[in-house]
């Protein structure tokens, strides 16, 4: 069975959406294998978002993701990598469909330009491996 890495981002935690998000995973039949409250460091985020470090908006990501505690975890299930991405919805909440987490719980970016979209999920099998090992160590793979 497949595993993926997810985050309930600092806005999801501070807005009290943890239960809603975990409920959706459980309702879908995914098994929560790891779950930990963490404070992300700039160093960890640079590795986690390595593909985005050179983008002009990376400082916004860093500010957002270090703005408070987040919940990091691993879920397991059939085709969970792509299913979880579908459940999250589009990156920008303005494009996320109702019924998705981002479409149900997040707003289009405001004047600050920051995209506060509640959840993260690995975008491929390679990313899932890399991210699970980065956040929880290779024993969690
Ligand atoms: N243009 C942008 N301006 C501000 N923040 C952005 C922008 N693009 C992406 N982000 C932030 O960086 C995160 C990572 O972007 P990515 O392109 O990997 O989207 P994603 O895979 O849907 O999201 P995530 O990796 O967080 O699951 C986004 O979720 C968002 O919070
Ligand atoms: Mg991504």
């Amino acid at each position: 069975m497949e595993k993926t890495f997810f985050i309930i981002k600092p806005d999801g935690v501070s807005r009290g959406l943890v239960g809603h998000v975990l409920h959706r995973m459980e309702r879908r039949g995914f098994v929560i294998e790891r779950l930990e409250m963490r404070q992300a460091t700039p160093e960890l985020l640079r590795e986690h978002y390595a593909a985005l470090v050179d983008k002009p908006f990376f400082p916004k990501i860093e500010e957002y993701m270090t703005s408070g505690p987040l919940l990091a975890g691993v879920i397991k299930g059939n085709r969970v990598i792509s299913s979880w991405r579908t459940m999250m919805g589009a990156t920008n909440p303005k494009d996320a469909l109702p019924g998705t987490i981002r479409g149900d719980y997040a707003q289009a970016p405001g004047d600050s330009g920051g995209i506060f979209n509640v959840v993260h999920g690995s975008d491929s099998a390679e990313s899932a491996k890399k991210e699970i090992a980065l956040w929880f160590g290779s024993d969690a793979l």
Side-chain angles (χ1 to χ4, degrees):
M1 233 183 273
E2 217 170 67
K3 292 185 191 186
T4 198
F5 173 76
F6 73 92
I7 295 174
I8 304 178
K9 296 183 179 184
D11 56 329
V13 172
S14 67
R15 292 177 54 211
L17 300 175
V18 167
H20 291 283
V21 174
L22 296 181
H23 179 59
R24 286 177 180 229
M25 292 171 172
E26 292 188 311
R27 205 170 61 175
R28 195 77 194 265
F30 296 136
V31 175
I32 300 168
E33 281 212 336
R34 298 279 181 132
L35 193 59
E36 225 176 276
M37 197 75 105
R38 296 273 185 93
Q39 175 68 48
T41 61
E43 295 70 36
L44 183 65
L45 288 171
R46 260 169 225 287
E47 289 203 53
H48 176 80
Y49 283 129
L52 302 177
V53 166
D54 295 328
K55 300 277 186 199
F57 53 82
F58 189 77
K60 283 194 195 304
I61 298 182
E62 188 178 298
E63 188 185 351
Y64 168 34
M65 294 297 287
T66 59
S67 64
L70 53 76
L71 205 64
V74 175
I75 42 174
K76 187 165 90 174
N78 294 327
R79 306 263 177 180
V80 69
I81 298 170
S82 64
S83 295
W84 177 240
R85 294 282 297 183
T86 303
M87 289 167 72
M88 292 197 306
T91 301
N92 191 323
K94 82 177 166 55
D95 304 317
L97 295 176
T100 66
I101 293 168
R102 289 163 170 174
D104 287 350
Y105 298 123
Q107 291 183 19
D111 296 337
S112 77
I115 296 179
F116 305 111
N117 54 10
V118 186
V119 281
H120 164 77
S122 308
D123 60 12
S124 66
E126 293 70 36
S127 302
K129 262 191 155 171
K130 184 195 128 194
E131 293 169 7
I132 291 169
L134 175 66
W135 288 77
F136 289 107
S138 44
D139 287 355
L141 287 171

